[in-house]
Amino acid sequence: MIPKDAAIRLNPEDIPKKWYNLMADLPKKPDPPMNPRTGKPAGPEDLSPLFCDSILRQEVSLEKHIRIPEEVRENLIYLNRPAPLQRAYRLERYLKTPAKIYFKREDMSPLGSHKGNTALAQAYYNMKDGVENLTTETGAGQWGTALAMSCNLFGIGCTVFMVRGSYDQKPARKTVMNLYNATVHASPSDQTEYGRRVLKATPNTVGSLGIAISEACDMAIHQKNTKYALGSVLNHVMLHQTVIGLETIEQMKIGEIEPDCMIACAGGGSNFAGFAFPLIGEKIKGKTDCEFLAAESDAAPSMTSGKYKYDLGDTGGFTPELMMYTMGHDFIPSPVHAGGLRYHGMAPLVSAALDQGFMTARSYSQPDTFRAGKIFAETEGIIAAPESCHAIKAAIDKALEYKASKEEKTIVFCLSGHGLLDLNGYEKFLAGKLEESAV
Ligand SMILES: *Cc1c(COP(=O)(O)O)cnc(C)c1O
């Protein structure tokens, strides 16, 4: 007999109608972005060269629920939403744990990750506001892929600056973005003033997300009718991703699942926020005592080793200073395969939730996470993205802790994406040639 909770699915009309904004429920509001030149909170005039008005309104909104435009909901269906919530029976048996393990399948999007949830919304609002081109950065290529597809869908141009380390490791990603008609440059590039400066100073650099963001901002500021889109970190991105957690809550009701620990990997924090914030809202109101755990890479361990302070969002100083956990904006992490986890900082909203005690974080090494990914492939049949392997590793560790303490607890984690375009990382792992990642 197929168990009732093997895969819990919702219908297309169950795609959430509103996003959830944690800002409304946080007891202490996070400190605002700062203009580093004036030392004052950044105003619309500081941000409007980079973002269109609709996006800026969402960035500062204190409203608890924000309506999702129908044009966005309709297209979320084609990203395979609502995404199933699945039980990892075979992983549980392998671990011989009394814990139940569930995972939310963001890997089922044709884009390969959760990034499409915000890419669709951002491309839509920019198109509505009359923007003709978007520029962006990408690490592993997932965000560039999602934005390229979304821009193509809504008829606007897309230029992607891809971190050079990833560009060299993952050439197939460029092809994917080109298929969606995006222009892709390895960053640092000779396309921007800032990129040329970095290249001159460090010709052999593998690049970083901080540098790629600066290049994308540089181009957005200097090119006509062009704005910038960020794939994580900012409040509006966290907001758009909450479709993940809102669906998960409905699925947990259907499956009568009461989570004891919810886990997601965190680079800039968007899949964690999208997955966990709706439930963290419940925790703030005292309605659940679920633990929320963010799994980060020890190559860029902002939450476990960084400082909570104001820091630039990019390397070149094109963005405001954000109050966040950070390794420092000129930090260059080792080129781990989990490119999406190589960001120097953490989303201000996730940082605030951590600072205010509503969640915890742990960091994991590259070899340990690939080992977890291999176990997941063997047991569940899914090749997870290197980023998602951090969530799997955290879930396995938790399940083993519950085994040691003989607790029948429930773990729910977010599988943020698949790894079918990241096979060279797995290839190195199988050959025993994967590097340690710690800073
Ligand atoms: C981009 C990415 C991440 C990291 O970004 P967050 O904003 O922290 O979610 C994690 N997993 C996958 C598959 C990604 O593409």
Side-chain angles (χ1 to χ4, degrees):
M1 250 236 319
I2 296 170
K4 224 179 71 189
D5 65 353
I8 304 169
R9 293 166 195 271
L10 300 172
N11 296 313
E13 62 270 22
D14 298 325
I15 287 179
K17 295 194 168 66
K18 291 171 183 167
W19 290 300
Y20 168 73
N21 185 8
L22 182 69
M23 190 72 93
D25 284 332
L26 267 184
K28 243 180 76 205
K29 301 300 167 216
D31 294 322
M34 285 289 208
N35 180 327
R37 280 168 290 277
T38 62
K40 296 210 173 82
E45 68 285 359
D46 295 316
L47 295 168
S48 57
L50 295 176
F51 301 102
C52 69
D53 290 347
S54 305
I55 293 290
L56 281 181
R57 272 196 298 279
Q58 290 187 346
E59 186 59 22
V60 298
S61 174
L62 295 175
E63 259 176 89
K64 187 164 176 162
H65 300 286
I66 294 177
R67 194 186 70 84
I68 306 178
E70 273 309 297
E71 295 89 331
V72 174
R73 284 186 78 231
E74 282 163 10
N75 283 294
L76 285 171
I77 290 172
Y78 304 109
L79 299 186
N80 257 326
R81 302 218 76 85
L85 181 69
Q86 203 161 310
R87 176 135 177 216
Y89 276 107
R90 293 167 292 184
L91 177 62
E92 290 171 19
R93 278 200 292 276
Y94 171 90
L95 298 171
K96 299 191 176 68
T97 176
K100 293 178 183 164
I101 306 174
Y102 295 88
F103 59 104
K104 177 73 168 166
R105 295 208 57 185
E106 293 302 310
D107 62 303
M108 289 189 45
S109 163
L111 302 171
S113 79
H114 66 290
K115 297 284 195 333
N117 300 331
T118 182
L120 277 180
Q122 292 191 47
Y124 168 77
Y125 285 119
N126 276 285
M127 176 275 290
K128 276 296 230 196
D129 286 1
V131 174
E132 286 169 359
N133 292 289
L134 281 176
T135 65
T136 197
E137 77 294 333
T138 198
Q142 304 268 31
W143 167 242
T145 297
L147 192 70
M149 187 286 269
S150 303
C151 284
N152 194 59
L153 187 75
F154 289 114
I156 56 182
C158 182
T159 304
V160 182
F161 291 89
M162 185 170 187
V163 177
R164 184 171 295 276
S166 296
Y167 187 93
D168 294 339
Q169 272 171 357
K170 306 174 183 194
R173 272 289 171 190
K174 177 173 180 281
T175 309
V176 174
M177 290 184 267
N178 288 155
L179 281 169
Y180 295 128
N181 294 322
T183 306
V184 185
H185 303 294
S187 166
S189 77
D190 59 4
Q191 300 290 311
T192 64
E193 170 70 40
Y194 181 72
R196 289 190 288 273
R197 231 164 54 217
V198 176
L199 271 181
K200 198 159 170 213
T202 49
N204 297 319
T205 180
V206 290
S208 70
L209 280 167
I211 295 169
I213 293 172
S214 297
E215 283 209 90
C217 291
D218 192 341
M219 183 174 271
I221 290 167
H222 293 109
Q223 188 173 286
K224 211 173 127 256
N225 225 347
T226 300
K227 299 283 179 199
Y228 165 68
L230 186 58
S232 187
V233 182
L234 295 179
N235 300 341
H236 65 274
V237 184
M238 307 296 123
L239 178 79
H240 299 156
Q241 290 294 357
T242 56
V243 291
I244 305 173
L246 292 166
E247 286 176 10
T248 304
I249 288 177
E250 291 310 308
Q251 288 161 316
M252 292 196 297
K253 276 186 203 150
I254 293 169
E256 294 172 7
I257 299 160
E258 291 204 11
D260 295 291
C261 183
M262 289 182 73
I263 298 170
C265 67
S270 74
N271 89 91
F272 176 85
F275 178 63
F277 278 3
L279 254 285
I280 289 182
E282 300 289 292
K283 184 164 177 150
I284 291 171
K285 287 178 239 146
K287 290 190 185 156
T288 173
D289 52 12
C290 179
E291 175 189 351
F292 299 93
L293 172 60
E296 62 181 7
S297 165
D298 66 3
S302 55
M303 288 181 287
T304 52
S305 311
K307 288 205 172 71
Y308 191 38
K309 62 169 191 180
Y310 271 109
D311 192 15
L312 291 168
D314 67 328
T315 311
F318 291 88
T319 65
E321 287 188 327
L322 304 171
M323 185 63 183
M324 61 181 177
Y325 282 92
T326 177
M327 304 298 293
H329 62 270
D330 47 9
F331 176 75
I332 305 249
S334 62
V336 287
H337 289 272
L341 305 190
R342 290 180 76 234
Y343 186 61
H344 65 272
M346 185 49 58
L349 272 176
V350 173
S351 296
L354 180 65
D355 181 56
Q356 294 176 38
F358 297 115
M359 58 174 282
T360 54
R362 295 185 189 176
S363 79
Y364 301 92
S365 79
Q366 172 152 274
D368 281 352
T369 53
F370 272 94
R371 213 166 286 128
K374 173 79 160 53
I375 292 170
F376 196 67
E378 287 165 12
T379 53
E380 297 300 323
I382 299 166
I383 315 289
E387 292 86 355
S388 314
C389 289
H390 291 68
I392 296 170
K393 169 65 180 158
I396 289 177
D397 281 4
K398 259 295 175 201
L400 294 177
E401 285 166 31
Y402 291 146
K403 180 179 174 180
S405 56
K406 300 197 172 63
E407 292 175 281
E408 288 179 34
K409 292 206 166 176
T410 300
I411 299 164
V412 186
F413 75 87
C414 182
L415 188 72
S416 54
H418 72 65
L420 292 172
L421 287 166
D422 292 297
L423 291 176
N424 56 357
Y426 280 101
E427 206 176 296
K428 279 197 200 154
F429 171 74
L430 291 176
K433 288 186 183 150
L434 201 62
E435 300 87 7
E436 282 292 340
S437 45
V439 291

